[in-house]
């Protein structure tokens, strides 16, 4: 019963909120000097602006692509440097970069106890929730 009332209330709030929203038109208006101009001039304006828009989209797309390629290259370089560090450590050499930048220290492994406790608490909470709801259902029936 409460869920039904909550759904009705949320629908009313949504409808009231949408009443104040004005529709948005996707068409760009013509400049004032071209509003009463012949159709040929208006068509010329639309062609010119569409070509400019296309060029701008291509320019922005190319810039984004170049940034993505640069980022990928930097990431690959970092991975390669990290691989060299690990290989040097395995072979007994000293790493070129200080271990302060390395996330783990030599000889220590991350503990799995926090993850085990988290999973256990989620399972226990779920079990408690199911049994609590079953008890309430039995009491109301």
């Amino acid at each position: 019963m409460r869920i039904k009332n909550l759904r009705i209330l949320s629908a009313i709030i949504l409808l009231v909120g949408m009443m104040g929203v004005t529709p948005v038109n996707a068409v760009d208006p013509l400049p004032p000097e071209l509003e009463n101009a012949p159709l040929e001039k208006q068509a010329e304006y639309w062609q010119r602006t569409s070509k400019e828009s296309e060029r701008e989209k291509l320019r922005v797309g190319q810039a984004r692509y170049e940034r993505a390629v640069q980022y990928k290259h930097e990431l690959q370089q970092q991975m390669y440097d990290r691989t060299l560090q690990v290989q040097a450590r395995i072979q007994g050499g000293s790493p070129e970069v200080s271990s302060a930048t390395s996330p783990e220290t030599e000889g220590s492994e991350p503990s799995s106890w926090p993850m085990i406790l988290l999973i256990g608490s989620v399972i226990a909470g779920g079990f408690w929730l199911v049994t609590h709801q079953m008890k309430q259902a039995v009491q109301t029936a």
Side-chain angles (χ1 to χ4, degrees):
M1 186 70 164
R2 292 178 61 189
I3 293 176
K4 185 177 182 181
N5 292 338
L6 184 61
R7 287 181 183 168
I8 292 172
L9 180 63
S10 62
I12 291 172
I13 291 172
L14 181 66
L15 289 174
V16 169
M18 288 178 59
M19 284 182 182
V21 177
T22 58
V24 177
N25 296 328
V27 177
D28 291 334
L30 286 170
E33 63 271 6
L34 289 178
E35 286 182 4
N36 295 327
L39 290 178
E40 294 83 23
K41 287 198 177 209
Q42 289 180 0
E44 177 186 320
Y45 171 78
W46 288 119
Q47 285 179 344
R48 186 177 69 245
T49 56
S50 66
K51 286 179 184 177
E52 290 171 2
S53 174
E54 184 67 25
R55 274 186 251 133
E56 183 67 15
K57 281 195 318 188
L58 288 174
R59 186 188 65 76
V60 169
Q62 184 66 32
R64 287 181 181 172
Y65 173 76
E66 289 171 358
R67 282 195 307 264
V69 168
Q70 178 66 27
Y71 174 75
K72 182 179 177 182
H73 176 70
E74 290 172 2
L75 190 60
Q76 287 174 339
Q77 187 63 40
Q78 290 173 0
M79 291 170 60
Y80 178 73
D81 293 343
R82 180 72 180 136
T83 302
L84 292 178
Q85 287 178 354
V86 170
Q87 285 177 349
R89 190 179 323 149
I90 289 172
Q91 294 173 356
S94 63
E96 296 175 9
V97 179
S98 67
S99 62
T101 60
S102 174
E104 70 274 346
T105 57
E106 290 188 37
S108 69
E109 301 226 358
S111 175
S112 61
W113 281 109
M115 186 57 73
I116 292 172
L117 289 174
L118 177 67
I119 292 171
S121 62
V122 168
I123 291 172
F127 181 73
W128 176 83
L129 184 64
V130 168
T131 56
H132 181 70
Q133 288 181 348
M134 289 175 67
K135 286 179 184 177
Q136 280 187 343
V138 168
Q139 288 176 356
T140 59

